[in-house]
Amino acid sequence: MTDLVLVLGDQLSPGLPSLRQTRPEDADILMVEAISETDYVWHHRKKMVLIFSAMRHFAAARQAEGRKVIYHRLDQDKPCADFADGIERALAANTYDRLIITEPGEWRLRREFETWHDRFGLPVVVLEDDRFLCSHDRFASWAEGRKQLRMEYFYREMRRETGLLMEGDKPAGGKWNYDAENRRPATDDLFMPRPHSVEPDAITREVLDMVADRFPDGFGDLEPFRFAVTTDQAELALGHFIATALAEFGPYQDAMLRGEAFLWHSVLSAYINIGLLDPLAVCQRVDAAWRAGDVPLNSAEGFIRQIIGWREYVRGIYWREGPDYVRRNALGAERPLPDFYWSGETDMACLAAAIDQTRREAYAHHIQRLMVTGTFALIAGIDPHALHEWYLAVYVDAFEWVEAPNTIGMSQFADGGLLGSKPYAASGAYIDRMSDYCGDCRYNVKDKTGPDSCPFNSLYWDFLDRNADTLRSNPRLGPVYHNWDRMDDAKRQAYRDRARDVLAAL
Ligand code: FAD
Ligand code: DLZ
Ligand code: SF4
């Protein structure tokens, strides 16, 4: 029996189920740089380089192990239109008994794979992706019968099941969550680690040229390209993060600084998402560093929670909620995405900084995504689907299963509160507390409603006012609406007027 094993660009794990379950002598691997994948949404050009270079390295490594790999390049004579085109070409050249695939990371492809049995007339075996800690069944059994699907309770179960940061059956240090210790603003005189940087090799150089050539007007800078493209390089990046940044990751997790894109963040999400690093193994290394006394518990816990908690939890939500999740719009927000999300040309220093580094690095850390670009879109009433397409386009780690719940759910409250207990709306005071952006801004963060007032200040109240019918009954917003109600009419009107001017200028 000969199998054809299709491996996608975010499935670059040697231990992938479809590779584990087929024998090298009985199975050909098929990898396709497909026009469809570069075109169905925009991608940052660095993300394309990462994926194609990592795919080419992965194919070479499998070939070196003795596997047969059929590899279609985007710059070959007649590139493949899509994955089906690649499969058709393989079937025309060879006889295969089965097509084996590990499940993809988005509904679009899952739906397409379901048509392939009829289309190609051979059995199609889709295997569950076990590179995640929590299977679909496990998530369903956790969610079953719960009124609210709160991440914190899910996370505790994952801690118990993995034994990470556990002392017997108790959480290390006696608490599950050390977030209260993790909200320090940073100053630029602190030692600043830098993420591990990899010099592009000949394969990456070739891909850089190809992407520059094919996507001259694509979003984002290509150079300098410093990402790891193999598992060995990604392992070095992980070791470098643990040695230089993890200890301070916790306290400064929410901090933002001008000119500092990475701070104490790991910059490992893309490597984990495309399969170069295994999420459980990453957490075990962090757990070991804590047990060895190299890093404090609040940092190790904060980091591990993001991976076995948030990352697994949002994936569970994505598959549970179905393909229409990305279209949810509980607050009826319909304003088009402002052009400055692409150009970075805005007087708002916080947004300019986050978007500018996004163009340069294909990276912004969680609080920049959530509390700068996310919060602004939320309080300005931007269409959540347009914003979802933006996040999918601009980050190196963007894949729908993880991006959509973070955007539609956590950031925009467009799922009506399934994922978050309240919207992440905030005035400029939050950004002022956690960053040094405001000092450099043409707007005044202390001014509430004047012509130079920080736009976040008026939009925040206007957002609550506009959405009062939906949000007033939210118990976590009770005190906020109480404050709004206590304001005199003139003040409330001043907020509305300033917000109207800000929105008109968008
Ligand atoms: P660190 O801060 O070092 O965190 C460690 C790891 O935890 C990350 O590498 C990542 O694997 C995981 N992680 C952290 N937060 C989350 C989270 N909220 N959800 C899932 N995993 C998490 N993450 C993506 O991987 N892809 C996306 O497309 C993506 N889109 C996002 C969109 C919005 C609107 C928001 C608010 C968040 C999004 N995130 C996304 C989550 C998070 O911002 C990134 O995972 C993180 O910034 C990646 O940088 P890092 O590797 O330095 O993470
Ligand atoms: C993101 C991406 C891009 C740009 N190109 C390819 C490609 O040409 N071939 C491929 O196999 N995968 C690519 N990917 C990743 C896929 O889009 C990803 O596998 C799906 O989005 C499922 O998560
Ligand atoms: Fe952003 Fe307002 Fe601060 Fe300017 S003043 S950086 S717009 S929060």
Side-chain angles (χ1 to χ4, degrees):
M1 173 173 294
T2 309
D3 292 324
L4 183 64
V5 181
L6 174 67
V7 175
L8 306 179
D10 56 355
Q11 299 184 337
L12 307 179
S13 316
L16 195 71
S18 50
L19 296 177
R20 272 199 336 262
Q21 295 186 30
T22 49
R23 297 193 314 165
E25 56 278 25
D26 300 333
D28 295 351
I29 295 175
L30 171 65
M31 298 181 74
V32 185
E33 293 175 9
I35 294 170
S36 60
E37 296 309 293
T38 60
D39 286 2
Y40 78 101
V41 285
W42 285 17
H43 302 277
H44 196 293
R45 296 192 299 167
K46 278 193 172 141
K47 177 184 174 189
M48 287 199 257
V49 175
L50 171 71
I51 291 194
F52 295 144
S53 177
M55 283 174 69
R56 291 181 187 188
H57 281 92
F58 184 85
R62 303 292 76 74
Q63 275 161 341
E65 288 167 0
R67 287 259 190 185
K68 180 171 168 205
V69 182
I70 306 164
Y71 194 98
H72 290 285
R73 294 163 58 126
L74 207 54
D75 53 358
Q76 70 195 23
D77 225 5
K78 288 196 181 105
C80 292
D82 49 25
F83 294 125
D85 186 6
I87 294 167
E88 264 159 11
R89 295 186 201 197
L91 293 178
N94 254 311
T95 306
Y96 293 100
D97 299 293
R98 299 183 307 173
L99 174 60
I100 315 270
I101 320 167
T102 302
E103 61 174 324
E106 54 179 278
W107 282 103
R108 174 185 64 99
L109 288 176
R110 186 190 266 200
R111 288 281 183 260
E112 190 186 331
F113 289 2
E114 284 164 8
T115 67
W116 283 357
H117 177 270
D118 291 343
R119 177 163 178 183
F120 301 124
L122 85 171
V124 177
V125 181
V126 181
L127 299 168
E128 179 155 359
D129 190 344
D130 61 9
R131 297 174 301 163
F132 293 89
L133 277 74
C134 181
S135 67
H136 299 305
D137 282 352
R138 178 71 189 88
F139 193 81
S141 72
W142 174 75
E144 178 75 33
R146 281 173 197 265
K147 268 214 200 96
Q148 289 192 316
L149 302 181
R150 290 286 165 256
M151 193 288 295
E152 187 61 31
Y153 299 108
F154 170 80
Y155 165 58
R156 292 179 191 179
E157 296 207 6
M158 292 297 110
R159 285 275 294 279
R160 287 196 190 90
E161 285 175 20
T162 56
L164 289 164
L165 304 182
M166 295 297 288
E167 289 168 333
D169 60 354
K170 299 270 184 306
K175 282 197 297 184
W176 291 104
N177 182 316
Y178 289 86
D179 242 3
E181 297 171 31
N182 288 353
R183 299 204 177 108
R184 246 192 264 165
T187 49
D188 54 13
D189 55 350
L190 291 163
F191 163 74
M192 210 60 70
R194 293 282 178 270
H196 181 68
S197 165
V198 179
E199 197 52 42
D201 64 5
I203 294 180
T204 303
R205 280 268 146 239
E206 221 182 351
V207 174
L208 277 161
D209 291 344
M210 177 182 84
V211 171
D213 192 43
R214 284 189 74 96
F215 305 96
D217 304 320
F219 178 80
D221 294 359
L222 273 170
E223 307 270 5
F225 184 89
R226 294 180 281 230
F227 288 110
V229 291
T230 66
T231 287
D232 287 349
Q233 293 168 358
E235 291 283 353
L236 288 176
L238 169 62
H240 178 82
F241 164 68
I242 292 174
T244 64
L246 174 60
E248 306 287 7
F249 171 85
Y252 299 116
Q253 204 178 334
D254 292 359
M256 298 173 277
L257 276 185
R258 262 180 273 169
E260 292 292 342
F262 308 108
L263 296 142
W264 290 266
H265 290 272
S266 68
V267 199
L268 296 175
S269 49
Y271 308 148
I272 303 174
N273 293 350
I274 68 172
L276 301 184
L277 291 177
D278 175 68
L280 180 59
V282 168
C283 292
Q284 285 165 337
R285 291 270 303 269
V286 170
D287 178 274
W290 166 70
R291 286 182 201 274
D294 296 340
V295 298
L297 182 56
N298 59 315
S299 285
E301 190 281 316
F303 183 82
I304 284 176
R305 174 161 24 92
Q306 306 311 316
I307 296 187
I308 69 168
W310 281 112
R311 185 171 185 274
E312 295 286 329
Y313 167 82
V314 297
R315 175 178 184 256
I317 297 279
Y318 175 76
W319 289 114
R320 185 182 152 83
E321 290 304 307
D324 74 333
Y325 185 77
V326 298
R327 292 276 170 194
R328 294 210 191 151
N329 192 353
L331 300 176
E334 281 172 355
R335 192 172 297 279
L337 188 73
D339 286 344
F340 70 72
Y341 270 73
W342 298 106
S343 68
E345 283 166 19
T346 166
D347 289 342
M348 292 180 272
C350 52
L351 281 152
I355 295 165
D356 180 55
Q357 76 167 67
T358 297
R359 289 179 61 86
R360 283 186 288 107
E361 309 284 359
Y363 179 85
H365 73 65
H366 186 65
I367 292 301
Q368 292 177 299
R369 299 186 205 194
L370 185 66
M371 300 304 295
V372 179
T373 46
T375 290
F376 185 82
L378 172 74
I379 61 183
I382 306 299
D383 170 9
H385 190 76
L387 188 72
H388 149 71
E389 291 191 321
W390 182 78
Y391 280 112
L392 205 48
V394 301
Y395 291 115
V396 66
D397 57 19
F399 295 91
E400 195 175 273
W401 63 267
V402 51
E403 174 279 327
N406 271 296
T407 305
I408 300 291
M410 187 189 306
S411 162
Q412 299 302 296
F413 209 69
D415 64 5
L418 179 79
L419 206 135
S421 53
K422 77 176 178 67
Y424 279 96
S427 69
Y430 176 86
I431 292 175
D432 193 30
R433 188 164 65 250
M434 295 313 300
S435 79
D436 62 356
Y437 294 145
C438 300
D440 199 29
C441 187
R442 111 150 184 60
Y443 297 105
N444 180 353
V445 72
K446 307 278 185 229
D447 184 350
K448 308 288 185 210
T449 55
D452 289 330
S453 64
C454 166
F456 282 74
N457 291 342
S458 49
L459 289 180
Y460 169 68
W461 287 113
D462 192 57
F463 164 80
L464 290 165
D465 189 31
R466 270 184 276 130
N467 292 290
D469 286 351
T470 322
L471 298 179
R472 192 179 269 282
S473 57
N474 182 313
R476 294 195 61 196
L477 293 176
V480 183
Y481 276 103
H482 184 66
N483 285 343
W484 176 244
D485 294 339
R486 278 190 357 204
M487 275 179 215
D488 63 48
D489 283 349
K491 195 165 174 192
R492 280 202 299 256
Q493 195 53 44
Y495 274 123
R496 289 188 193 108
D497 290 345
R498 171 65 179 146
R500 192 196 52 230
D501 291 348
V502 168
L503 292 174
L506 290 181

